[in-house]
Amino acid sequence: MTVLLATILKVVVIFGALISAAGISTLAERRVSAWIQHRIGPNRVGPFGVLQPLADGIKFIFKEEFVPEGANRWLFILAPALSAAAALMSVAVIPFGGLITEIDGTPILMSIADLDIGALWVVAIGGLGIYGVILGGWASNSKYSLFGGLRATAQMISYELSMILCILAVVAMSDTLNLREIVNLQDSADSRCFGFLPGWNIFYQPLAFVLFVICTFAETNRHPFDFAECESELVGGFHTEYSSMKFALFFIGEYCAMIVMSCMTVTLFLGGFSVPYWSEAPFLIGLASFLLKVTFFMFLFLWVRWSLPRFRYDQLMNLGWKVFLPLALVNILLTGLAVSL
Amino acid sequence: MANLLFYLMGLGAVIGSLLVVTSKNPITSVLSLLGTFFCLATIYLLAGFQFLAAAQILVYGGAIMVLFLFVVMLLNLGHPEEGSGLEFMNKRRMPFAFAASAMLIVLTFAGVLGQGSAPGAVELAHMATIGDLAGLMFGSFLLPFEAASILLMGAAVAVIVLAKRERTQAVER
Amino acid sequence: MVIIKRKQLTWMEKAYLPEVIRGLRITLGKMFQKPSTRQYPEDPLITTEVTRGQPRLVVNEDSTIRCVSCGLCEIACPAYAITIDGQETDRMIEREPEKFEIDFLRCILCGFCEEACPKEAIMMSDELELADTSRQGLIYGLDKLKRPVSALKKRIAYINKINDRWRTSSST
């Protein structure tokens, strides 16, 4: 009974934290863009503007709900929900921290579900978020939206391949798909790289790490690969026709996907909740280390967005199919060789 | 609880697959097919095949159906003319359809009734985890597995060749 | 026809990633520089005598108004923002405005009234803030327009300087 209660508590806390983190990310996006552009950014609502996302949310709720003429009503409403739900669901297997406590001999771990197929789950469920984009783009009955949806589709399929191959390299090394075990393997002292570096996969798989990080940018439709939105060509891409809370849901979905992808990068390549040179660190310190690493990758998302220009669409496709896929394949071949030797 | 979920998902799968063939709007068809795949994935999960469920969602849900949607949108099939989706079922084709369905039903029941009697069949319990599945795939069934992959590869190449030839003819005309 | 010679990229530039990192370094550097934004209400705009804010009526030290309600500014105003009703007075100048209204919903802050005025009676002040919740509230009457000469001294001196230069140069 208490175990069930603990699980429910974990679900509530993790989902709540994820959605709040998405809200805070929107504020961070605006503040970081302001700093990079020599501005100050929103700092009026609450101390340092921390209540700005709340104000935005209230504003979104009171905006007019609008369904364009000729739109497919049900799909138009379903799309943002799908987009947000997929991103929220994929967080379920991320191990945020180690052992919290034990109840009646049952260990309570800091992740909602400890699936054997964790790595696959994130890719499978996270990949469904694309349906929100496609359906939203198609159901809007607008050519800009349709173009955004189509571009997002082709882009997602192209980059998902390379991304899965990068994950596969890590999985082949760790011999498991369970994310917690992947983290524990990186934590153990005898996995140290060259004897002194922490046993993180980034040192064993530098190529896969770089490819994976770039693929996460393409997967979450972020700059410099944001062809689904592409303000300068497609007005707003798939969410051109959206308003009010439906628009906000798309954004929650986007930021949640970014957070989940950052979590995946940290878990797969940067030792997750482990602390370098401190095996089996206490729960809170492990959690803090995890959040710190995720924050860095979230910052990277924002930093890159406000630094780099957008690619051209054919460049994106060339990069995906002619550079990333061969590199990922070579990487997995080399990994296979190294593992079998 | 698990039984209830199983029957619910089974019902969902049946309704979804019926909607696929009867609905007028191709987009609805694609989405119902997606729903069917989800129900199937849940059933796999209930049976304890986590990997199969994830692969189902990843491959069919995440990639194949996205491609279907992509094609439907690209060809702008989303706004069909009036008419039933069952129009292709004319009298000449009906017997073949029934024969194929009957065959499928016989095969299914044969599989259900004579569990494990087919040549090379494996006990279900032996493929629950990924490790077991990998052992079967790359161990005892390596040859059929690779043969299937070569067959699929050949099919993919054949499709490209066929599509390409048609196009050059059209240009010459 | 213009033939543009594109720069040949070196191997490092074609690899793209080093250049990306270079770009990221630049933006990171910018993040820690002082922002060039002004926090407006707390940190108001710096005004000088050149600032062309809202026009105001000059009041002499003996608290009499300089305006003689000649109507030149009313005619000069391109936005028809000024309305004047004159009346007689016992003072030397014999006339003064009974009603002097500037509709700030119409005023474009061009400063033509200031140029037209023969008496240095209407001057562009450095007051820039203009917000109200009603249209009526933005039609300023005499009570809101009057400013003591000391507040507008700088502007009057500046206009005199400019006018002097203009006068000497046009003498040819």
Side-chain angles (χ1 to χ4, degrees):
Chain A
M1 191 61 212
T2 34
V3 175
L4 185 70
L5 214 64
T7 311
I8 291 170
L9 197 70
K10 271 194 308 196
V11 170
V12 170
V13 166
I14 288 177
F15 277 146
L18 183 63
I19 292 176
S20 339
I24 292 166
S25 308
T26 61
L27 174 68
E29 172 108 51
R30 295 168 70 179
R31 288 309 290 262
V32 168
S33 73
W35 290 332
I36 283 175
Q37 294 165 356
H38 269 208
R39 295 185 287 115
I40 296 167
N43 62 347
R44 297 282 155 159
V45 193
F48 303 107
V50 286
L51 296 179
Q52 184 71 38
L54 208 66
D56 286 345
I58 291 166
K59 191 192 80 172
F60 273 128
I61 287 168
F62 285 109
K63 286 257 175 178
E64 184 192 355
E65 289 275 349
F66 181 77
V67 179
E69 196 183 321
N72 189 324
R73 202 183 169 81
W74 288 110
L75 291 185
F76 189 77
I77 294 168
L78 180 72
L82 263 181
S83 174
L88 285 175
M89 265 166 76
S90 53
V91 85
V93 292
I94 305 278
F96 291 93
L99 192 74
I100 304 172
T101 178
E102 278 193 19
I103 298 175
D104 308 332
T106 318
I108 305 291
L109 300 162
M110 188 62 192
S111 58
I112 294 174
D114 215 16
L115 292 185
D116 275 343
I117 47 151
L120 217 54
W121 169 272
V122 174
V123 185
I125 300 293
L128 293 179
I130 182 66
Y131 279 105
V133 176
I134 309 175
L135 291 178
W138 181 79
S140 297
N141 192 29
S142 147
K143 45 182 162 302
Y144 293 123
S145 306
L146 186 63
F147 269 124
L150 283 178
R151 284 176 172 196
T153 324
Q155 177 185 338
M156 283 269 206
I157 290 180
S158 314
Y159 278 83
E160 208 164 57
L161 276 177
S162 315
M163 200 173 89
I164 292 174
L165 285 175
C166 292
I167 296 176
L168 212 56
V170 173
V171 169
M173 275 189 57
S174 325
D175 211 14
T176 175
L177 275 169
N178 188 325
L179 290 176
R180 183 172 297 280
E181 277 172 38
I182 291 177
V183 171
N184 286 339
L185 273 172
Q186 297 177 61
D187 192 22
S188 64
D190 48 297
S191 70
R192 290 266 165 85
C193 193
F194 306 124
F196 66 95
L197 287 168
W200 295 351
N201 282 329
I202 180 175
F203 301 117
Y204 292 105
Q205 296 277 356
L207 183 61
F209 171 73
V210 172
L211 291 182
F212 185 82
V213 169
I214 297 171
C215 284
T216 56
F217 280 81
E219 277 290 294
T220 48
N221 283 321
R222 285 290 294 189
H223 264 263
F225 306 116
D226 67 335
F227 290 96
E229 287 177 46
C230 211
E231 295 93 342
S232 49
E233 303 164 33
L234 299 182
V235 190
F238 63 98
H239 58 57
T240 305
E241 307 291 340
Y242 279 90
S243 64
S244 183
M245 214 50 208
K246 292 206 277 289
F247 178 77
L249 267 181
F250 268 129
F251 265 74
I252 291 174
E254 183 184 328
Y255 282 98
C256 284
M258 277 160 64
I259 293 168
V260 170
M261 282 300 165
S262 303
C263 290
M264 274 299 273
T265 315
V266 169
T267 309
L268 290 175
F269 293 100
L270 287 178
F273 54 82
S274 69
V275 186
Y277 311 115
W278 189 1
S279 279
E280 318 233 330
F283 167 70
L284 276 177
I285 290 172
L287 186 67
S289 129
F290 184 84
L291 293 181
L292 200 70
K293 292 170 196 168
V294 169
T295 310
F296 171 76
F297 278 98
M298 284 304 289
F299 176 68
L300 188 71
F301 270 111
L302 308 181
W303 187 11
V304 166
R305 168 161 187 190
W306 298 102
S307 301
L308 299 183
R310 186 180 293 125
F311 273 62
R312 221 169 48 215
Y313 195 66
D314 59 324
Q315 288 173 332
L316 169 93
M317 280 298 160
N318 279 343
L319 189 72
W321 288 103
K322 294 183 184 167
V323 180
F324 276 30
L325 194 62
L327 278 179
L329 281 172
V330 166
N331 183 55
I332 200 142
L333 200 70
L334 293 178
T335 311
L337 270 176
V339 168
S340 63
L341 284 179
Chain B
M1 180 70 187
N3 265 336
L4 184 72
L5 205 57
F6 171 80
Y7 285 118
L8 261 176
M9 286 300 145
L11 193 70
V14 169
I15 291 174
S17 44
L18 279 178
L19 271 176
V20 174
V21 288
T22 53
S23 78
K24 288 181 216 162
N25 192 335
I27 297 271
T28 321
S29 284
V30 171
L31 288 179
S32 343
L33 194 53
L34 182 67
T36 311
F37 284 150
F38 259 100
C39 294
L40 286 182
T42 318
I43 290 174
Y44 292 154
L45 210 57
L46 285 174
F49 303 135
Q50 289 185 345
F51 177 77
L52 219 52
Q56 171 95 1
I57 293 175
L58 180 64
V59 175
Y60 288 103
I64 307 264
M65 294 324 288
V66 170
L67 271 183
F68 275 32
L69 262 186
F70 187 78
V71 170
V72 168
M73 282 174 191
L74 207 62
L75 303 180
N76 202 16
L77 299 175
H79 307 288
E81 305 89 56
E82 286 302 307
S84 160
L86 288 168
E87 262 171 16
F88 63 91
M89 284 288 253
N90 59 29
K91 272 184 187 155
R92 255 189 313 154
R93 289 173 185 166
M94 207 70 107
F96 293 102
F98 274 115
S101 315
M103 186 93 145
L104 203 64
I105 288 166
V106 168
L107 276 177
T108 313
F109 274 95
V112 171
L113 295 176
Q115 224 173 38
S117 63
V122 189
E123 280 288 315
L124 281 179
H126 287 168
M127 46 183 286
T129 67
I130 315 153
D132 298 337
L133 206 64
L136 288 172
M137 249 186 206
F138 297 104
S140 37
F141 291 98
L142 182 61
L143 197 64
F145 180 65
E146 290 301 329
S149 72
I150 288 170
L151 194 69
L152 284 177
M153 183 78 179
V157 171
V159 164
I160 290 168
V161 167
L162 283 176
K164 196 136 196 168
R165 186 174 294 161
E166 207 162 287
R167 194 161 170 194
T168 48
Q169 275 172 354
V171 169
E172 277 164 16
R173 241 189 289 134
Chain C
M1 195 172 74
V2 182
I3 296 167
I4 297 164
K5 270 199 177 153
R6 290 200 186 277
K7 192 190 147 209
Q8 279 289 315
L9 295 180
T10 60
W11 187 85
M12 279 290 267
E13 282 166 338
K14 273 183 190 161
Y16 199 70
L17 219 52
E19 294 293 303
V20 166
I21 290 163
R22 210 159 65 97
L24 288 177
R25 258 215 340 256
I26 289 170
T27 45
L28 190 70
K30 294 286 169 200
M31 274 187 76
F32 296 107
Q33 287 174 12
K34 199 172 159 291
S36 45
T37 329
R38 187 187 299 279
Q39 290 285 291
Y40 167 61
E42 295 93 34
D43 182 10
L45 195 71
I46 297 160
T47 57
T48 64
E49 69 265 27
V50 188
T51 310
R52 211 169 61 206
Q54 298 158 23
R56 291 283 184 260
L57 294 177
V58 182
V59 175
N60 288 322
E61 269 124 16
D62 55 359
S63 71
T64 53
I65 196 157
R66 276 194 188 178
C67 179
V68 293
S69 62
C70 64
L72 281 179
C73 54
E74 201 176 359
I75 291 161
C77 183
Y80 308 112
I82 302 175
T83 319
I84 308 171
D85 281 346
Q87 68 180 11
E88 289 196 6
T89 169
D90 300 336
R91 284 156 55 214
M92 251 287 279
I93 56 172
E94 291 183 357
R95 273 172 71 81
E96 66 174 20
E98 180 197 357
K99 189 181 97 175
F100 195 113
E101 275 182 3
I102 301 181
D103 183 351
F104 279 105
L105 291 169
R106 310 198 66 152
C107 177
I108 55 172
L109 311 181
C110 63
F112 283 10
C113 45
E114 182 188 57
E115 269 179 45
C117 187
K119 288 298 211 182
E120 289 176 1
I122 186 163
M123 279 287 150
M124 305 306 276
S125 66
D126 57 3
E127 291 164 45
L128 289 159
E129 282 162 11
L130 187 65
D132 207 281
T133 48
S134 73
R135 282 164 187 275
Q136 210 55 46
L138 282 167
I139 300 172
Y140 282 18
L142 267 176
D143 51 331
K144 282 187 180 168
L145 288 172
K146 277 183 185 171
R147 287 287 178 279
V149 68
S150 56
L152 294 161
K153 213 158 53 194
K154 268 189 183 164
R155 177 74 184 181
I156 294 169
Y158 170 73
I159 288 295
N160 276 331
K161 199 178 85 189
I162 295 294
N163 284 353
D164 281 347
R165 197 168 66 193
W166 182 75
R167 278 182 207 119
T168 48
S169 68
S170 65
S171 60
T172 45

